[in-house]
Every structure is written in structure tokens, then in C-alpha cells.
Amino acid sequence: SKEGYVAFFNEVVDRNLKMVVEWQRVGFVHGVMNTDNMSILGLTIDYGPYGWLEGYDKDWTPNTTDRNGRRYRFGNQPSMVLWNLYQLANALMLLVEDGAPLDEALARYKKEYVSAYHKMMRNKLGLNLIHDEDPKLISTLENTLSIAECDMTIFYRKLSDIDSTSSAEDAFIKIQKAFYNLEELSDDTKNQWLAWFEQYLNRLKLEKTTAEERKQAMDKVNPKYVLRNYMAQLAIDAANQGDYSIIDELYQLLKQPYAEQPSQEKWFTKRPEWARHKVGCSMLSCSS
């Protein structure tokens, strides 16, 4: 029935909205979000030139064929999901013969994505309560993360080590492992970080949870390990020589990406400098 097609489309909208919020949460970049690479089930499929954010950069794309327009860049993924949903809505119009309910679903995506994104970011920051200033705190953090090369995965994972009783200087020290060129940070950049930490620490004081409870919650949404491209390339290179040990090691590692796994600490590290521009470790083509 026409009502059935509308209900179907609303379900597709909901599932894809949830999926792209999860992509943004862990820093995953699909890289080639053509309509045929999107699923009505809200699953991540058909990704070739994929990647994970190393330094936090909303304009980064892992796709060599996307390097000019950056249509599929990290920060544009929610908009691309919406664009693809529009194309599905256009096809369903032939069956529904009424654009209003489809337009309502698309408008709902735009509205609910904002609230879902802010909820996700509050979880990453260990914030249970909702305050009017939270969106500003989040946007200020994202701007601060982008002014110097700062590893997204390591930053958020180390953030849970910070206690509300810490000073801004102590908090900054605890996340220093995330910076690619710590010694090159300008005074202005450090001061911007200290200013954000002052805001964040004041915000933490409004929470009711203990530091330990907050850390446990944050570590459940901020993975310690992700499949960085250089890690996959190391496994491929070894396998080409008949050594499958790294494949197995990464397989076991990524079964529990949120667990500490102290014996695997070597994988909790930034992309090595040799991999910055190495083929397979930075950008990939659609034929990869």
C-alpha cells in the first residue's frame, strides 16, 4: 500500500540516520557514498577507499578520486546520507504519488540528526545532563581539534582520564599523546586548548556521576583501537610474504576495540610518519 511505502521509507531514514551518527562517533569515513553503496538496512556496505580520521579534519577524504571536490569528506557524510535518501524518495514517489509524507521524513532526518549528534557527542564527553551551552562546548572543541593535528581516537580515549578537579594545564598534559607535532604547538594554540579545558572542567562539575563512572561510560563509546589504514597495510604486506600473523593479531584486537588490552598497547598509537603519504596508508582509489 502507499502507506506501507511511506512507513518503509521512514524506517530507512531512521536506520541510515543512526548509522551515520555512529560513523561520526568513531571517525569512520566511507569514502564513496554513491547511492548504490548505501543500504536500506542502515548497514555500512561497499566501502573501498575507506579510512579513519587520524588528525581531526572534517574535510578529509580517503578517496583519491574525491580529493578535489571532497564530496564524501568526513564532515559531509550526514549531508550525503540525506542526499541519497532524497534519491530514494524520488523513486518511491512513483508508487506513493504524494510527496508530502516523504518530505516530512526527510525534514525529520535534518531535525533529528542534530539532536542525535549532540547526544552522541555528550556521551563522548561524559556528559549525562543536558545544558543549553553544550552545543557551543562541542563546536568549540571541534574547532580547537582542527587547529593543530590531533588524533581523534587517542584524544577522546585519553579524555576519560581527566577528573573535574584537574586544572586545565593538567588536563592538557593528559591528552598530549594525541598531538602529532606537540613541540610545534604555538602559544596561541595551547592557550585555545587551555580555554576549552576550562569550559569543559566547569561543565563536568555540574554532573552527578563520579569520575570512575564517567570514565567507564566514556570508554564504552570512545574506542581505543580502530583499523587504521597503515595497520591494514602492514597486515597485507606481511600476508603477501606468507605471514598471516598480523591479520590474526588485528582480528583478535578488533573483537574488543573498547577494551584496554594492555598487551596490544603498540596499536594505540598515532599513524607513523612513514605512512603519512604511503600508498594504501593515506588515500585509496575506488579500485583498491
Side-chain angles (χ1 to χ4, degrees):
S1 67
K2 294 180 180 180
E3 293 76 15
Y5 288 122
V6 172
F8 160 76
F9 183 64
N10 273 280
E11 178 71 14
V12 174
V13 168
D14 290 342
R15 291 187 179 211
N16 278 272
L17 187 154
K18 180 180 179 181
M19 176 194 67
V20 76
V21 169
E22 295 297 284
W23 287 1
Q24 304 304 101
R25 176 175 67 85
V26 298
F28 174 80
V29 189
H30 185 287
V32 58
M33 295 170 65
N34 301 333
T35 51
D36 61 307
N37 294 335
M38 304 297 291
S39 167
I40 61 172
L41 300 176
L43 302 176
T44 303
I45 65 166
D46 210 355
Y47 50 101
Y50 82 96
W52 302 82
L53 285 192
E54 305 281 0
Y56 185 85
D57 181 1
K58 284 189 174 183
D59 289 333
W60 185 72
T61 176
N63 186 348
T64 56
T65 57
D66 191 37
R67 74 169 78 219
N68 293 323
R70 298 185 183 274
R71 178 177 171 86
Y72 303 133
R73 64 192 183 277
F74 174 68
N76 202 42
Q77 292 188 131
S79 296
M80 282 311 309
V81 168
L82 178 61
W83 192 90
N84 289 336
L85 288 169
Y86 265 102
Q87 311 321 307
L88 179 58
N90 287 336
L92 290 174
M93 259 293 292
L94 299 173
L95 301 169
V96 178
E97 298 178 325
D98 181 5
L102 301 176
D103 285 336
E104 289 173 7
L106 294 166
R108 183 171 58 79
Y109 172 97
K110 287 188 278 190
K111 179 180 179 180
E112 293 186 3
Y113 175 80
V114 174
S115 59
Y117 182 79
H118 285 152
K119 179 180 179 181
M120 176 271 289
M121 287 297 296
R122 283 195 301 272
N123 289 339
K124 288 181 73 66
L125 295 174
L127 307 177
N128 288 323
L129 304 177
I130 300 175
H131 285 268
D132 292 341
E133 293 298 307
D134 288 347
K136 182 179 179 180
L137 180 72
I138 292 167
S139 63
T140 302
L141 170 61
E142 291 174 338
N143 290 335
T144 305
L145 278 167
S146 65
I147 61 176
E149 195 173 17
C150 184
D151 189 274
M152 177 179 175
T153 300
I154 295 175
F155 168 77
Y156 280 110
R157 185 70 180 197
K158 298 297 288 182
L159 194 65
S160 67
D161 293 336
I162 294 171
D163 190 280
S164 61
T165 60
S166 302
S167 67
E169 187 73 38
D170 288 340
F172 179 76
I173 290 172
K174 288 186 177 181
I175 58 93
Q176 285 184 354
K177 180 178 179 177
F179 289 104
Y180 279 81
N181 296 292
L182 178 62
E183 65 284 353
E184 296 179 10
L185 290 185
S186 67
D187 290 340
D188 286 345
T189 296
K190 183 177 179 180
N191 288 336
Q192 188 166 333
W193 269 107
L194 293 177
W196 183 82
F197 273 120
E198 287 286 357
Q199 298 173 46
Y200 179 58
L201 292 167
N202 288 332
R203 176 64 180 83
L204 287 183
K205 291 180 173 67
L206 302 177
E207 293 292 313
K208 307 300 182 183
T209 54
T210 67
E212 183 57 34
E213 289 171 338
R214 182 173 65 252
K215 177 174 174 56
Q216 290 180 4
M218 291 173 70
D219 286 352
K220 289 180 180 178
V221 297
N222 294 317
K224 183 172 182 179
Y225 304 102
V226 296
L227 186 59
R228 300 170 186 267
N229 281 358
Y230 89 88
M231 295 162 61
Q233 193 61 48
L234 287 174
I236 292 169
D237 292 344
N240 284 337
Q241 301 300 317
D243 177 5
Y244 299 94
S245 62
I246 300 180
I247 288 180
D248 184 63
E249 184 175 353
L250 294 180
Y251 172 64
Q252 299 300 330
L253 174 78
L254 295 169
K255 281 183 176 181
Q256 303 181 76
Y258 299 91
E260 283 296 330
Q261 303 189 68
S263 64
Q264 299 296 331
E265 196 74 15
K266 67 180 180 181
W267 297 118
F268 182 55
T269 187
K270 301 181 288 290
R271 174 200 60 223
E273 193 59 32
W274 59 259
R276 180 178 292 273
H277 301 296
K278 182 179 173 61
V279 174
C281 298
S282 54
M283 299 183 77
L284 304 164
S285 70
C286 282
S287 60
S288 299

